[in-house]
Amino acid sequence: EVQLVESGGDLVESGGSLRLACAATGFTISDSAMSWVRQAPGKGLEWVSTITRLGKAVHRESIKDRFTISRDNAKNTVYLQLNSLKVEDTAMYYCAKSGVFDVNGPRGQGTQVTVSS
């Protein structure tokens, strides 16, 4: 059974940084593309970043200079480093077993990121 557990969300000031983590069980993350998607209040799911099976990182254009996706195969964990956070980054962030632009894969319960001005 695929299980994804996110952590690391918090309330931070604009310009701050966070590192989100996604611990996976039930499968090996290096055998799958893994993504982060987010949902801002009152909006739909939005794809953010993907790390492919081969380890290539792909980011949404609007955040590619601030966010970095990575993985630790030994820990079966995917990370999302968020730098220079903006108020508009406020959202629930989900880890998903999915590929580029795909917001419909299995995902965890999410971790809340709130950025204050």
Side-chain angles (χ1 to χ4, degrees):
E1 178 187 6
V2 171
Q3 287 195 329
L4 301 165
V5 179
E6 301 94 334
S7 62
D10 206 345
L11 170 63
V12 296
E13 292 185 348
S14 180
S17 297
L18 286 173
R19 189 175 80 153
L20 308 183
C22 169
T25 57
F27 71 104
T28 301
I29 60 169
S30 58
D31 290 339
S32 175
M34 295 294 296
S35 297
W36 287 93
V37 301
R38 67 185 181 183
Q39 187 168 27
K43 297 188 177 181
L45 286 169
E46 177 180 81
W47 172 78
V48 176
S49 300
T50 296
I51 186 162
T52 69
R53 288 188 299 112
L54 297 180
K56 178 180 179 180
V58 185
H59 297 287
R60 184 178 191 85
E61 186 67 23
S62 62
I63 56 84
K64 68 181 180 67
D65 295 329
R66 301 186 293 118
F67 293 2
T68 303
I69 191 171
S70 63
R71 71 188 184 198
D72 184 331
N73 293 338
K75 295 182 178 181
N76 215 39
T77 297
V78 180
Y79 300 97
L80 186 67
Q81 178 69 40
L82 291 69
N83 297 327
S84 302
L85 281 161
K86 303 177 180 180
V87 172
E88 53 263 41
D89 294 319
T90 294
M92 185 71 79
Y93 283 71
Y94 299 93
C95 172
K97 187 176 183 292
S98 62
V100 178
F101 303 133
D102 185 359
V103 300
N104 294 315
R107 58 182 184 267
Q109 84 291 345
T111 188
Q112 179 68 40
V113 172
T114 303
V115 185
S116 63
S117 58

